[in-house]
Amino acid sequence: QVQLVESGGGLAQAGDSLRLSCAASTETFSSYGMGWFRQPPGKEREFVAHIRSSRGSTYYADSVTGRFTISRDNVKNTVYLQMNSLKPEDTAVYYCAAMRLGYGLIRRPDQYDYWGQGTQVTVSS
């Protein structure tokens, strides 16, 4: 079992920035593809961003492209989500997820093997 712990969520105003962190409990962290998902109130979980295990290629949902940046530190076993120019529509519980294999269908939640507990992000106008 791999444990993922998110941190960095909170309350922000429109236009503010937040940086989310996700710490993994495995020394094989570098072999996992890592994703961020979010679940707005009353809506289903949706894909936000993904970073590949080896090459570090990144992918984003259209709604966050140009505003959010995913990155990883394989020494600290941590993945980050830098969120800039926040909008009220970004309000959601944000989840970190790990994919065992280096390649998969990154926008599908069922492709991920481990999930964090989630961290709340609330953006006011």
Side-chain angles (χ1 to χ4, degrees):
Q1 179 70 235
V2 174
Q3 292 181 327
L4 305 174
V5 181
E6 300 104 329
S7 62
L11 196 153
Q13 293 181 327
D16 283 356
S17 296
L18 285 176
R19 189 194 194 204
L20 306 183
S21 299
C22 173
S25 64
T26 176
E27 293 186 354
T28 59
F29 174 78
S30 61
S31 67
Y32 291 84
M34 301 298 298
W36 285 98
F37 290 77
R38 67 187 184 185
Q39 187 165 13
K43 295 183 173 61
E44 294 186 351
R45 183 170 43 186
E46 65 182 23
F47 171 80
V48 176
H50 181 93
I51 184 166
R52 290 282 184 87
S53 59
S54 57
R55 299 179 301 179
S57 302
T58 58
Y59 308 87
Y60 299 93
D62 290 343
S63 59
V64 306
T65 296
R67 299 188 298 121
F68 291 9
T69 302
I70 188 172
S71 62
R72 68 191 299 161
D73 187 332
N74 289 337
V75 175
K76 297 181 178 179
N77 294 345
T78 302
V79 63
Y80 305 95
L81 185 68
Q82 178 67 46
M83 305 185 295
N84 298 328
S85 301
L86 284 165
K87 304 176 180 179
E89 307 92 271
D90 296 320
T91 295
V93 177
Y94 282 72
Y95 296 93
C96 175
M99 179 184 296
R100 288 202 314 267
L101 302 178
Y103 188 85
L105 302 174
I106 62 174
R107 289 171 171 80
R108 291 177 58 116
D110 61 3
Q111 299 295 294
Y112 294 80
D113 301 284
Y114 305 102
W115 293 84
Q117 81 287 351
T119 184
Q120 177 71 48
V121 172
T122 302
V123 184
S124 62
S125 59

